[in-house]
Amino acid sequence: MSSRLNCGFSSHSANGSDSKKQRLEESPPSRVLHIRKLPNEVSETEVIALGLPFGKVTNILMLKGKNQAFLELGTEEAAITMVNYYTAVTPQVRNSPVFIQYSNHKELKTDSALNQRAQAVLQAVSAVQDGSSPSSDPGVLDLAPPPSPVLRIIIDNMFYPVTLDVLQQIFSKFGTVMKIITFTKNNQFQALLQFSDPVNAQQAKLSLDGQNIYNSCCTLRIDFSKLVNLNVKYNNDKSRDYTRPDLPTGDGESTNKDHSLLGKHTAAFILTHNIHSCVPPGAISPLSAAAAAAAAAGRVALSGSGVSGVLLASNLNEEVHEAKLQRVYGDVQRVKILYNKKDSALIQLSDGNQAQLAMSHLNGQKVFGKVMRVTLSKHQTVALPREGLDDQLLTKDFSGSPLHRFKKPGSKNFQNIFPPSATLHLSNIRDGVGEEDLRLLFANSGGTVKAFKFFQDRKMALIQMTSVEEAIQALMDLHNYDMGGNHHLKVSFSKSTI
């Protein structure tokens, strides 16, 4: 049953204390989110943009006199992911922090006569998301058909490097990114980015134009390019054709050379001098969870200050034991199943960046039939129990494991961290192990193998399961699987499909 929102609701919850003591858990999870402390004259599009990276936005109610809004997402899981992400990263609109929490309402039922403009904007965004033509009143909002799949991106106030990889991570939230070319013109960093579909380009422009990649700096200015197709000659740190991995690097450069990492001296200079008002990259703007993931993956040198490396995972199936949690992302040091709450665990990773990455990718994913919740913990470390205590068997120490994914700082493996997908990348395959062996191995993990493809050297392969959930379960079961002869199978999520 729908809940009708009364615009004259009690001002106590709206204008109460915004101190950190006020907890998001006051209301149970809901797909309707209450957003407070919005800047004056904020637009509906800016509010909708807060939710777009996390899923479909299905309704909005603006209360401009109160500097508030209600945003309804398509699923409760999407809302939970959004709230958890913005618990760790302060959301900002027009460089001002805003507050997001669950609403007591489970559904928005808005009066279209009172909320006409907001509904028109939402209708236009939905049309872009669905690839259809908006039916909103042209007098309220005129959204012309997208002229090109290519966007021209100018980055203002660029006090930190914005790499080709970061752009790909951010914009791929809105569709398949095929090609990117970056260049400097009139002393400004610019990029041309081509989507597979003009509708995706329009959605990205609508959502990201005017947003900051980092708080108070690296502002995106986006327009359609007059070009309809990009000609990329080289795959390197300045240009990339994702449909042509065979392209040369040009000028003797290697595609594996990561120019985006700030050196220690540069990072120290920036943190010491705090250039203008640009906050060091540890406080990431609400542009998208993908920006956090890209940064945490090592493409940008995050300071990580004040960010815990410990995650709290909850609503776990009893089949998800300590060793399985160790295998998914990053270098897990310790895992502790909570003594009084066996469906929850504390997971300590090597640093805060890895923790942010794991949280942004795993929160809201279904694992063994249950939707897993992942948030940053207030704990800085997971303490080992003293010998003889009851919970000793619930805490596992993996700090000395020889099977960590990232043994070296700045490992190029950081560049191959992708969100959960149905396709898995296999490496370190032992000689003599064939396709049928691997298909059988993964089928025995409880899933169904849809497709398989060996790489040329047969030491690596792609294997596609029928769902993301099956792929997550297979990775948890089979990463570091002992194939004999000191060969441990490496399993990770792939951005490719077969």
Side-chain angles (χ1 to χ4, degrees):
M1 181 176 175
S2 301
S3 297
R4 181 179 291 276
L5 283 180
N6 179 3
C7 292
F9 61 87
S10 168
S11 62
H12 175 72
S13 63
N15 300 318
S17 169
D18 292 320
S19 70
K20 291 183 179 178
K21 293 180 182 178
Q22 187 175 25
R23 295 190 174 277
L24 295 172
E25 290 77 21
E26 287 177 356
S27 299
S30 164
R31 64 192 186 98
V32 179
L33 301 178
H34 184 194
I35 305 172
R36 298 178 294 121
K37 296 292 183 183
L38 288 165
N40 292 327
E41 306 304 322
V42 69
S43 71
E44 290 85 353
T45 303
E46 289 173 290
V47 176
I48 292 170
L50 284 170
L52 275 180
F54 304 94
K56 188 175 180 66
V57 177
T58 52
N59 209 345
I60 181 174
L61 175 65
M62 299 290 290
L63 304 175
K64 291 196 174 181
K66 296 179 179 291
N67 297 93
Q68 298 175 29
F70 288 89
L71 197 67
E72 179 187 276
L73 276 76
T75 64
E76 189 176 294
E77 286 74 25
I80 290 169
T81 302
M82 179 172 167
V83 168
N84 285 342
Y85 177 71
Y86 287 138
T87 301
V89 178
T90 302
Q92 294 209 358
V93 176
R94 299 192 182 187
N95 298 328
S96 298
V98 299
F99 299 88
I100 299 175
Q101 64 190 76
Y102 299 117
S103 167
N104 291 323
H105 301 271
K106 293 298 181 185
E107 184 180 355
L108 275 181
K109 187 175 181 182
T110 51
D111 187 331
S112 58
L114 297 175
N115 201 33
Q116 187 179 20
R117 175 175 171 77
Q119 290 301 305
V121 174
L122 183 66
Q123 212 173 51
V125 172
S126 298
V128 173
Q129 284 180 318
D130 298 336
S132 59
S133 299
S135 56
S136 58
D137 180 353
V140 178
L141 186 76
D142 181 17
L143 197 67
S148 167
V150 179
L151 295 176
R152 185 185 67 153
I153 303 158
I154 298 174
I155 299 185
D156 286 335
N157 304 319
M158 196 174 109
F159 297 119
Y160 291 95
V162 175
T163 67
L164 184 146
D165 285 322
V166 168
L167 290 173
Q168 193 270 341
Q169 285 280 334
I170 293 169
F171 281 84
S172 64
K173 278 284 180 182
F174 301 92
T176 302
V177 175
M178 298 179 70
K179 304 172 186 177
I180 307 177
I181 299 173
T182 62
F183 55 95
T184 302
K185 184 177 180 182
N186 299 328
N187 292 323
Q188 280 187 313
F189 179 84
Q190 300 189 26
L192 293 171
L193 184 146
Q194 181 178 339
F195 280 99
S196 58
D197 191 314
V199 168
N200 300 135
Q202 189 171 36
Q203 183 185 351
K205 179 181 182 299
L206 181 68
S207 304
L208 299 178
D209 187 28
Q211 297 282 335
N212 295 331
I213 297 177
Y214 301 110
N215 287 344
S216 306
C217 67
C218 300
T219 307
L220 293 167
R221 286 172 46 205
I222 303 171
D223 210 338
F224 287 107
S225 170
K226 293 179 181 178
L227 300 172
V228 293
N229 186 45
L230 297 180
N231 181 26
V232 176
K233 295 181 179 179
Y234 304 113
N235 282 341
N236 52 34
D237 62 323
K238 293 184 172 62
S239 63
R240 191 78 52 84
D241 185 338
Y242 295 94
T243 68
R244 292 280 311 279
D246 57 312
L247 287 179
T249 57
D251 302 323
E253 293 180 348
S254 168
T255 51
N256 291 329
K257 187 175 180 182
D258 191 352
H259 296 278
S260 65
L261 291 174
L262 291 172
K264 290 181 181 178
H265 299 297
T266 309
F269 174 84
I270 291 171
L271 293 175
T272 303
H273 294 272
N274 193 19
I275 302 175
H276 300 291
S277 61
C278 184
V279 179
I284 296 180
S285 80
L287 179 56
S288 76
R299 296 185 177 96
V300 177
L302 276 173
S303 66
S305 57
V307 179
S308 168
V310 180
L311 296 174
L312 173 63
S314 57
N315 201 40
L316 300 174
N317 187 297
E318 60 184 13
E319 293 186 53
V320 182
H321 53 70
E322 299 92 323
K324 290 187 179 183
L325 290 170
Q326 185 220 358
R327 296 170 185 156
V328 189
Y329 283 110
D331 288 341
V332 173
Q333 304 298 307
R334 293 173 183 172
V335 177
K336 178 186 181 74
I337 303 292
L338 300 190
Y339 184 73
N340 295 321
K341 207 171 185 310
K342 296 293 194 297
D343 70 343
S344 300
L346 292 172
I347 306 165
Q348 181 180 336
L349 289 100
S350 292
D351 56 50
N353 298 338
Q354 288 189 22
Q356 277 191 328
L357 174 71
M359 180 185 71
S360 67
H361 283 343
L362 290 177
N363 183 53
Q365 294 289 347
K366 187 178 281 190
V367 184
F368 294 103
K370 297 184 73 173
V371 176
M372 182 165 58
R373 315 283 183 226
V374 184
T375 59
L376 287 174
S377 169
K378 292 179 181 177
H379 296 279
Q380 295 301 310
T381 58
V382 172
L384 290 172
R386 284 175 293 178
E387 196 169 346
L389 291 185
D390 288 341
D391 67 346
Q392 186 171 7
L393 295 177
L394 297 175
T395 305
K396 293 288 194 304
D397 186 359
F398 299 103
S399 56
S401 171
L403 302 176
H404 282 165
R405 292 179 183 265
F406 313 116
K407 294 177 183 176
K408 297 178 182 177
S411 165
K412 68 178 182 180
N413 289 343
F414 277 110
Q415 300 174 46
N416 299 319
I417 302 174
F418 302 107
S421 63
T423 306
L424 297 169
H425 180 273
L426 313 181
S427 60
N428 204 36
I429 298 171
R430 187 180 179 184
D431 289 342
V433 174
E435 177 178 339
E436 287 308 311
D437 299 315
L438 291 166
R439 279 179 174 268
L440 182 61
L441 181 64
F442 278 78
N444 285 340
S445 74
T448 303
V449 177
K450 279 186 66 177
F452 183 92
K453 178 185 177 183
F454 260 125
F455 285 72
Q456 193 169 4
D457 61 2
R458 298 181 71 86
K459 294 190 185 323
M460 295 192 292
L462 294 177
I463 191 164
Q464 186 175 337
M465 311 301 288
T466 55
S467 68
V468 174
E469 182 182 2
E470 284 188 3
I472 294 174
Q473 291 170 196
L475 184 148
M476 283 184 163
D477 284 339
L478 297 172
H479 176 61
N480 284 334
Y481 176 80
D482 189 352
M483 305 182 77
N486 201 29
H487 271 72
H488 289 86
L489 182 68
K490 304 296 182 187
V491 185
S492 58
F493 298 112
S494 173
K495 67 176 180 179
S496 306
T497 54
I498 303 174

